[in-house]
């Protein structure tokens, strides 16, 4: 009997040690309270960490407020809710791997996620912050292709965060501007992202990350967001490197000045049949989302409010008043399909050239020829590509004092059986860059696995050192070093060229 009691006592001590060891590994003390995550292999994962107070009630359409402290240990093992949006569902080329989970959706959405390869809290690893796309009207950090485990295994602390979108994230209104204290409104989604960066500055060291080595990265609307943080004086000092994939605010899209945005807000209030901001804050979020789907309402997006963003955005960059950071930026050839082409003929395209470029139309038509209808359509698609993604990348390189690396992703992913081939479509480069092909259900070929390894290595090297180059990778010189060469990324061609240079120089003329 005594031996049995002794045995049970020893076992209980061992179990207690094991429990303490698990707690030591998977519980981290943030400045607001302790969080508990879980481990997969060598990676610690924390999901659904609050980084701001829920933007509900009186906090709807206000800048995010710092999260309140909590007692005990907060379990952080599942993603927090995605922001209010239309019910996410696959469409066209974007299968379920690219789409936010259909539920839960909530106004209470300001949560972030951390993947860290270390339990040594005094270690200072580079921090890679991912900002999702979705046209500033949809999206979530919980998309399968945004999983951070593989990037963390390459030696970075990977963070993804949620931000408000659509009418709840970007609506401006005179009443909101008046109450703000800085005569501006809108851009709440961008402020959420900045609040996430502030949380990272204060807390990421507890996860083994270096708050002085932070890279922000995003694709599509995430790239617009990264551009906005580069532009914003409020974001100064919160990151030192940026990756912009497919799009940017220097292209002038999804953008309004404050007066236009406030007029849109007044129109929206009228559609809600209320007469004050207080009343509008009482309308259920799902009802607001429903009202925002009215095509007459337009899209809620970037506001040049002279607070988060300058009124004269291009002038701001020309004068060098933006945040001077190292940048990697580029696009996918399928980005050209995002803008409508309509019916293009040689006559209509030539007429557009005359109307837009006047005496320079002939020079334009040498670069964008339109001798036949088919040629005119190809030129229109080329224009779409450059105006949406190419030119914003070029202008970043032009106005940045630090090094900027440009790329064009041309690889067409291997076919999915029974599914249409959409070519090198918008967002198709993300799983290669974030090393998440395993999250995307396709019969991948060995050369695509190699491309995934190369591309994610460029991204990780840049986050670590501010330079994408590294051992075993094709040399990638910066664009603004006088050579003005971009990197073509494909399984059979990793090569430098001066593609589009003449077009960029023409289209960026004052």
């Amino acid at each position: 009997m005594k031996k049995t009691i002794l045995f049970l006592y020893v076992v209980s001590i061992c179990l207690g040690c094991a429990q303490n060891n698990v707690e030591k590994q998977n519980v981290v003390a943030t400045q607001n309270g302790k969080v508990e995550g879980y481990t997969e292999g060598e990676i610690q994962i924390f999901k659904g960490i609050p980084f701001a107070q829920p933007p509900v009630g009186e906090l709807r359409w206000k800048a995010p407020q710092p999260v309140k402290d909590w007692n005990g240990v907060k379990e952080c093992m599942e993603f927090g809710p995605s922001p209010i949006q239309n019910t996410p569902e696959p469409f066209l080329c974007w299968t379920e791997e690219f789409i936010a989970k259909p539920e839960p959706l909530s106004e209470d959405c300001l949560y972030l996620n951390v993947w860290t390869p270390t339990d040594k809290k005094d270690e200072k690893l580079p921090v890679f912050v991912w900002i999702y796309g979705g046209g500033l009207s949809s999206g979530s950090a919980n998309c399968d292709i945004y999983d951070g485990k593989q990037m963390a295994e390459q030696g970075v602390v990977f963070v993804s965060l949620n931000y408000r979108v659509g009418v709840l994230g970007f609506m401006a209104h005179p009443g909101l501007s008046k109450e703000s204290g800085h005569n501006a409104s809108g851009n709440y989604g961008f402020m959420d992202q900045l609040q996430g960066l502030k949380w990272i500055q204060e807390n990421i060291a507890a996860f083994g990350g270096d708050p002085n080595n932070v890279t922000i990265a995003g694709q599509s609307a995430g790239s617009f967001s990264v551009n906005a943080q580069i532009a914003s004086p409020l974001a100064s000092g919160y990151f030192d490197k940026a990756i912009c994939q497919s799009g940017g605010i220097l292209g002038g899209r999804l953008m309004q000045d404050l007066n236009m945005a406030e007029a849109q807000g007044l129109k929206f209030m009228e559609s809600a049949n209320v007469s004050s901001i207080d009343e509008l804050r009482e309308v259920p979020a799902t009802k607001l989302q429903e009202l925002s789907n009215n095509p007459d309402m337009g899209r809620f997006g970037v506001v040049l409010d002279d607070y988060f963003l300058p009124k004269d955005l291009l002038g701001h960059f020309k004068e060098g008043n933006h945040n001077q950071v190292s940048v990697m930026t580029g696009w996918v050839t399928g980005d050209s399909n995002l803008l409508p082409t309509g019916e293009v003929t040689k006559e209509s395209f030539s007429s557009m050239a005359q109307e837009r470029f006047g005496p320079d139309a002939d020079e334009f038509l040498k670069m964008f020829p339109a001798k036949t209808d088919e040629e005119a359509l190809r030129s229109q698609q080329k224009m779409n590509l450059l105006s949406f993604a190419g030119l914003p990348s070029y202008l970043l390189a032009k106005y940045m004092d630090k090094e900027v690396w440009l790329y064009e992703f041309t690889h067409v992913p291997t076919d999915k059986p029974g599914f249409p081939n959409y070519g090198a479509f918008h967002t198709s480069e993300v799983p290669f860059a974030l090393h998440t092909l395993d999250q995307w259900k396709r019969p991948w070929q060995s050369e695509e696995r190699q491309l995934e390894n190369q591309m994610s290595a460029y991204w990780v090297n840049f986050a670590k050192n501010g330079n994408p180059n590294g051992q075993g990778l094709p040399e990638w010189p910066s664009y603004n070093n006088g050579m003005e060469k971009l990197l073509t990324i494909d399984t059979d061609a990793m090569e430098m060229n001066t593609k589009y240079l003449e077009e960029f120089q023409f289209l960026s003329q004052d």
Side-chain angles (χ1 to χ4, degrees), residues 334-381:
D335 289 346
S336 62
N337 297 322
L338 290 179
L339 303 182
T341 56
E343 184 179 353
V344 179
T345 65
K346 60 181 182 181
E347 290 83 9
S348 66
F349 192 82
S350 298
S351 177
M352 177 278 294
Q354 293 293 337
E355 182 177 335
R356 181 172 174 181
F357 298 105
D360 296 324
D362 289 343
E363 184 180 354
F364 170 81
L365 289 169
K366 290 178 183 177
M367 293 174 281
F368 299 87
K371 294 183 178 65
T372 66
D373 291 347
E374 292 77 12
E375 192 174 55
L377 178 59
R378 288 195 296 272
S379 289
Q380 181 63 61
Q381 290 170 334

Side-chain angles (χ1 to χ4, degrees), residues 112-129:
L112 56 74
N113 319 290
V114 179
W115 288 258
T116 178
T118 180
D119 62 359
K120 299 175 182 176
K121 307 314 175 195
D122 57 348
E123 190 165 354
K124 292 185 176 181
L125 297 175
V127 182
F128 187 101
V129 184

Side-chain angles (χ1 to χ4, degrees), residues 157-433:
V157 176
F158 187 97
V159 180
S160 61
L161 55 81
N162 280 355
Y163 60 94
R164 286 170 282 180
V165 298
V167 63
L168 293 167
F170 290 91
M171 187 189 80
H173 187 281
L176 293 173
S177 297
K178 183 177 180 180
E179 72 176 30
S180 70
H182 41 258
N183 196 34
S185 56
N187 294 331
Y188 302 108
F190 293 151
M191 295 181 201
D192 295 342
Q193 297 162 11
L194 179 55
Q195 181 63 28
L197 294 177
K198 291 177 180 178
W199 185 95
I200 288 168
Q201 285 291 308
E202 296 171 354
N203 293 285
I204 206 64
F207 297 84
D210 183 354
N212 297 313
N213 188 5
V214 175
T215 300
I216 59 174
Q219 183 267 345
S220 194
S223 183
F224 278 68
S225 299
V226 172
N227 274 245
Q229 303 299 334
I230 291 172
S232 180
L234 302 183
S236 177
Y238 289 102
F239 61 97
D240 64 306
K241 297 179 292 297
I243 301 177
C244 310
Q245 301 174 217
S246 294
I249 57 177
L250 286 174
R253 311 198 68 80
L254 292 178
M255 193 174 301
Q256 299 183 87
D257 64 30
L258 183 59
N259 289 335
M260 293 172 60
E262 287 181 340
Q264 183 187 29
L266 286 168
K267 184 177 179 181
F268 183 81
M269 176 181 282
E270 183 180 352
S271 75
N273 198 29
V274 298
S275 57
S276 71
I277 289 295
D278 287 341
E279 290 180 26
L280 200 59
R281 285 190 170 118
E282 293 177 359
V283 177
T286 51
K287 178 64 175 178
L288 296 176
Q289 180 63 28
E290 181 184 336
L291 290 170
S292 73
N293 288 327
N294 185 337
D296 294 335
M297 197 57 60
R299 296 185 66 172
F300 296 93
V302 183
V303 182
L304 301 179
D305 59 354
D306 209 29
Y307 172 65
F308 193 89
L309 292 172
K311 286 182 179 179
D312 179 9
L313 187 67
L314 189 58
H316 181 75
F317 273 85
K318 286 181 177 180
E319 293 167 9
N321 293 329
H322 54 291
N323 297 309
Q324 294 286 352
V325 297
S326 301
V327 173
M328 260 174 51
T329 181
W331 56 89
V332 178
T333 49
D335 289 346
S336 62
N337 297 322
L338 290 179
L339 303 182
T341 56
E343 184 179 353
V344 179
T345 65
K346 60 181 182 181
E347 290 83 9
S348 66
F349 192 82
S350 298
S351 177
M352 177 278 294
Q354 293 293 337
E355 182 177 335
R356 181 172 174 181
F357 298 105
D360 296 324
D362 289 343
E363 184 180 354
F364 170 81
L365 289 169
K366 290 178 183 177
M367 293 174 281
F368 299 87
K371 294 183 178 65
T372 66
D373 291 347
E374 292 77 12
E375 192 174 55
L377 178 59
R378 288 195 296 272
S379 289
Q380 181 63 61
Q381 290 170 334
K382 180 179 170 183
M383 272 289 292
N384 288 351
L385 175 64
L386 298 188
S387 63
F388 178 83
L391 190 59
S393 293
Y394 173 80
L395 291 175
L396 268 183
K398 184 176 181 180
Y399 299 126
M400 199 66 70
D401 289 343
K402 296 196 174 183
E403 287 185 294
V404 178
W405 286 264
L406 259 65
Y407 71 87
E408 180 178 55
F409 184 89
T410 63
H411 178 65
V412 177
T414 194
D415 281 343
K416 180 178 181 178
F419 195 76
N421 187 317
Y422 287 94
F425 65 86
H426 184 69
T427 324
S428 62
E429 92 288 6
V430 171
F432 290 88

Side-chain angles (χ1 to χ4, degrees), residues 95 97-98 145 409 411-417 423 425 427-432 435-452 491:
T95 49
E97 300 96 335
F98 293 78
I145 62 166
F409 184 89
H411 178 65
V412 177
T414 194
D415 281 343
K416 180 178 181 178
F425 65 86
T427 324
S428 62
E429 92 288 6
V430 171
F432 290 88
H435 210 291
T436 54
L437 284 188
D438 283 339
Q439 301 288 334
W440 187 7
K441 302 175 185 67
R442 291 201 175 205
W444 299 111
Q445 305 302 303
S446 59
E447 60 268 22
E448 291 174 306
R449 295 291 187 178
Q450 181 182 358
L451 181 63
E452 176 190 35
T491 53

